[in-house]
Amino acid sequence: MGKLGLIIEREYLNKVTNKSFILATFLTPIIIVGFIMLIGYLMSVNNDTVKNISVVDKTGYFTNSLNNSDDLNFHFINDFDLEEAKLISKTKADYGLLFIPYYDDLNQIADSIMFISEDAPSIGIISRIEGKIERLLTNKNFENIGLDIEKINKSKININLYQESFEGEETTKMDGIIKIAFGMILGMLLYIFIFAYGSMIMMSVIEEKTSRIVEIMISSVKPFQLMMGKILGTSLAGLTQFLVWTILIMMFSYLITAIFGIETSTQNSELLLSSSGNMSMNTEALDAISAFINLPLTNIIVAFLIYFIGGYLLYASLFAAIGAAVDNQTDAQQFVMPLTIILILALYVGMLTVPEDPNGTIAIIFSYIPFTSPVVMLMRIPYGVPIYEQIISIIILYLTFTLCIWVAAKIYRVGILMYGKKPSYKELIKWLKY
Amino acid sequence: MENLLVVDSVSKTFANHKALNNVSISIPKGSIFGLLGPNGAGKTTLIRIINQIIIPDSGNVFLDNQLLESKHISDIGYLPEERGLYPKMKVGEQALYLAQLKGMTKLDAKKQLKYWFEKFDIGEWWNKKVSELSKGMAQKVQFIVTVLHRPKLLIFDEPFSGFDPINANLIKDEILNLRNGGATVIFSTHRMESVEELCDHIALINKSNKILDGKLDEIKRQYQTNTFEVGLVTNKKSEIEKEIKNNFHTSQPTFKGLGDNLRLNILLKESQTSDELLSFLVKKAKIQHFKEVIPSANDIFIKSVKEN
């Protein structure tokens, strides 16, 4: 086995046999699944509770037409005035009180309807109530000016645009959602990976310096070998952790659906029936599946691997260089900060501009800049990016990566033998000439 | 004598600081070579260049008449002054790892380690973590790791720091053993008494320049002043002192006497020999002490650095 192999092996084994690493590997999926369950549970509790709303309807238009839905219950207490109703509603601990005064003019009514509640009500509920009232008042208006509501409803036309790409593939609204989600997940994955394992590399370099073994090491191996061994060994440990996480999360999810399976499925079917109806829900699910299949999957997978490796190694080499330049973690912050800012910028640019306009100027520029391209381009690719753009961006990324490794190796070579002082950026540049 | 290592006009500049200025030294095979110099003189830079950690700006280094290259890494064993081990790794594992990095096979490394661990009586440390060892214990492991791969050239930078006198002696004996076994040793230290004890050759580096090198006894001869310490027992002290001063150049005594009542340092002129001095003294009084003043490594160090 070559020296690089030996170093990778040691770094890998050192990481994966580390107690806190093992703990994180097995606890994280439990925590993630636990959180998802908790959120799911809380949401279902939230949806299950029926919200009681007292209504004082002075107009009489609503008393028989404002229908209860599965989470909204309207109680009519029309005989009371506003102050009395407030008191009643409060003692009953209602979600809120809807007060509809009477005027001759419908518009005046519309302007003076009030909703009174203890806490600020959720926007969703308010807009649903508004929708219900709006529909009823509009219908009333139609009636008043002599329009037949039946006829109006019949003459309404529903539009659901049939979308197709120029290549003749069918696209749906679901495509957009799937693309956003997919791009986000890929970008986030890279972001998390870079930070988690990049800083692990940095820590391991600092540890080597503080334990003073580094000079013994580099009398046997080239600093470049040591640096690459560290980067690759730690990355392999990271991949192992990711793999274990994926397997465990899948196992837990399977177990949970197996145990709580019946419950969730009945809940689902109830939801299906009660919401927008069985048919449309099924088409949505089908749309999602077909949207997923419609993604340029081969391109995504290939690009993901290329950008993931390039982007990760680019940052990893910089983290290694930072570790070599400083003596402790506190000093490292100053140098880690710019990297953090660039990566967060990449993430935000990706999230804000790509779904809006995947081929807009900003998105394109950031998918050429090597420090942001891995994240931004990965987010763009589900929308379809011309191959030549990808190739140019990858070439820029790998050229920069090579340059960065070279710079990092220089800084590393000098830095690991410097003790006791935190270098300035100016000094770091000087080191390149050593 | 054949040289194992030849450093030929090596210079190295860091940013705006010249660490080595045209330094050349030759290290004979089988010698213990003392690399001396005040702090910051450039010793560590030179050692790092020999270890190929740093590349010189100009000049060459030859090992066994070959230009130094990466394959020579396994021919050199280096114990740096700033040394340590991975604290969370087990002693045995770590020693195996470092040995393999020096190009040993795992099997060979295991065999050698067993030998050394037994020799130093530290077999039970194999599964201990380095962080559980004391500083002296860790130093022993480091020494073993340095010499394990039977390098031709051993470089020790302050090897005795952190050792108690007993263990320091143990290490000293091992260094001599290794030399007798054919290894060449470069030895960098500020402890002049161990230079005196171990080194047969020295080089002195000051302010990036080599100011002195050669065989230790030859250098001493160069620094010899032809001065003799003389201690006499006599009851005519002032008379004899006057007589000596008439014939020889004297100075204040630099030694402590025991039972003698007339102590002098006598400097011989070039025309005078020690025999003449002795036969002169024999006639005058009982000679209790007669010794040529040989400059110590310490004296030479201080004198040449100050002159420089």
Side-chain angles (χ1 to χ4, degrees), chain B residues 19 32 58 117 135 143 166 205 287:
Chain B
I32 297 186
S58 64
F117 272 54
K135 193 182 172 198
F143 180 83
I166 296 169
I205 294 175
I287 302 172

Side-chain angles (χ1 to χ4, degrees), chain A residues 3 6-7 10-11 18 207-208 211-213 215-222 413 417 419 430 434, chain B residues 14-15 48 51 53 55 70 73 78 80 82-87 89 94 97-98 100-102:
Chain A
K3 287 180 182 178
L6 277 170
I7 298 169
R10 193 205 83 89
E11 293 296 330
N18 184 297
E207 189 206 349
E208 217 156 65
S211 69
R212 296 288 194 267
I213 192 174
E215 194 159 355
I216 293 179
M217 287 300 295
I218 55 169
S219 67
S220 308
V221 300
K222 291 199 179 74
R413 215 164 57 94
L417 292 173
Y419 296 113
K430 251 188 220 162
Y434 273 20
Chain B
F14 293 115
R48 283 178 180 167
N51 275 299
I53 293 169
I55 304 152
S70 45
I73 280 175
Y78 174 36
E82 291 281 5
R83 50 185 175 250
L85 295 165
Y86 289 110
M89 227 174 154
Q94 180 145 206
Y97 172 60
L98 292 171
Q100 287 181 79
L101 286 181
K102 279 286 187 189

Side-chain angles (χ1 to χ4, degrees), chain B residues 53-100:
Chain B
I53 293 169
I54 297 173
I55 304 152
D57 298 337
S58 64
N60 292 309
V61 181
F62 300 90
L63 186 80
D64 247 351
N65 298 319
Q66 287 172 310
L67 199 61
L68 203 63
E69 52 174 310
S70 45
K71 69 164 187 185
H72 290 123
I73 280 175
S74 57
D75 292 330
I76 301 176
Y78 174 36
L79 185 67
E81 189 181 4
E82 291 281 5
R83 50 185 175 250
L85 295 165
Y86 289 110
K88 284 175 197 154
M89 227 174 154
K90 283 178 185 162
V91 172
E93 260 172 45
Q94 180 145 206
L96 269 181
Y97 172 60
L98 292 171
Q100 287 181 79

Side-chain angles (χ1 to χ4, degrees), chain A residues 4-23:
Chain A
L4 185 62
L6 277 170
I7 298 169
I8 294 174
E9 187 193 353
R10 193 205 83 89
E11 293 296 330
Y12 179 80
L13 289 178
N14 186 41
K15 288 282 155 353
V16 296
T17 54
N18 184 297
K19 280 197 194 90
S20 53
F21 185 88
I22 294 172
L23 213 63

